[in-house]
Each structure stands twice: as structure tokens, then as C-alpha cells.
Amino acid sequence: MSLIMAHQQLHFADHCLINNFKFGDTPLFHKDAPGTPSSQTFMVYPNRCWNKNWGGFTAFADDDDDVIAVAAPRPGRIAIFPGTVAHTGVAPTKVHQGYGRFSVAFQDPDG
């Protein structure tokens, strides 16, 4: 189990996923915990450096399938969002020559 600190309380995440997207990958929109309104996902971007021209952002969609927000994978950024929100990682552009766009997702079904 992974330890995370949120809202002044200590939580244990039930799932921890490590993603490494590379140019040409095609991740799809998904929800981490559909039907569980109290769930939270904590997405950490551990790349040492990132350039906005490399793409690799995380896109968030509403219930009408419209993209409503994006998060750039800045080093050390943590994106916190409900597990009921549809999202996807976007592969890096061809310009990126590194190992890929990494993210670590801690999923807490209890929020």
C-alpha cells in the first residue's frame, strides 16, 4: 500500500499505477472509480523536466464528452481529482526524445 497525505488526514491508496506514455501510444478516456462519488485519484508527474512542446498532458472530460481541462505534466505536479471524472493521458509528441511521459496514480476509493 502507498501512503499519501491529503486534507490533513492520512489515507492509504488501494491502487497505485505507473504509466509511461511514448510517442504513438493511444491511451483512452476512462474513469478510475465510476459510481463511487467519494473516490479520489492523486496523479503525480515524476519526470525531471518537461517542455510544453512535448505534449503529454492529462485531459479531463465532462459527462458530455467535452474536454474541460488539461494538466501539463510539470515535474513534481500533483493533480487531484474525483475517480468519477473521465480522463486520459496524451502521448508525447514526436519532438520528445526522452524515455516517455511518466505518471504515478494513487487511487483512494474512500476519498
Side-chain angles (χ1 to χ4, degrees):
M1 282 192 165
S2 299
L3 221 50
I4 50 179
M5 184 67 77
H7 307 291
Q8 306 289 330
Q9 296 177 3
L10 193 59
H11 292 274
F12 289 92
D14 278 3
H15 295 68
C16 177
L17 304 169
I18 299 172
N19 298 300
N20 179 18
F21 297 128
K22 297 180 180 177
F23 175 71
D25 287 345
T26 55
L28 303 175
F29 276 94
H30 63 280
K31 297 178 181 181
D32 292 339
T36 311
S38 64
S39 66
Q40 294 283 308
T41 295
F42 301 78
M43 180 89 63
V44 180
Y45 301 97
N47 284 76
R48 288 184 172 189
C49 64
W50 201 260
N51 181 301
K52 64 184 173 193
N53 292 313
W54 296 345
F57 53 86
T58 301
F60 300 91
D62 63 15
D63 291 335
D64 294 323
D65 294 331
D66 291 322
V67 173
I68 56 170
V70 296
R74 290 185 183 158
R77 172 172 275 170
I78 300 174
I80 303 172
F81 54 93
T84 55
V85 172
H87 62 283
T88 187
V90 176
T93 64
K94 190 175 182 178
V95 176
H96 181 259
Q97 299 295 314
Y99 292 107
R101 192 281 264 160
F102 287 90
S103 63
V104 181
F106 298 93
Q107 299 170 349
D108 181 3
D110 299 322

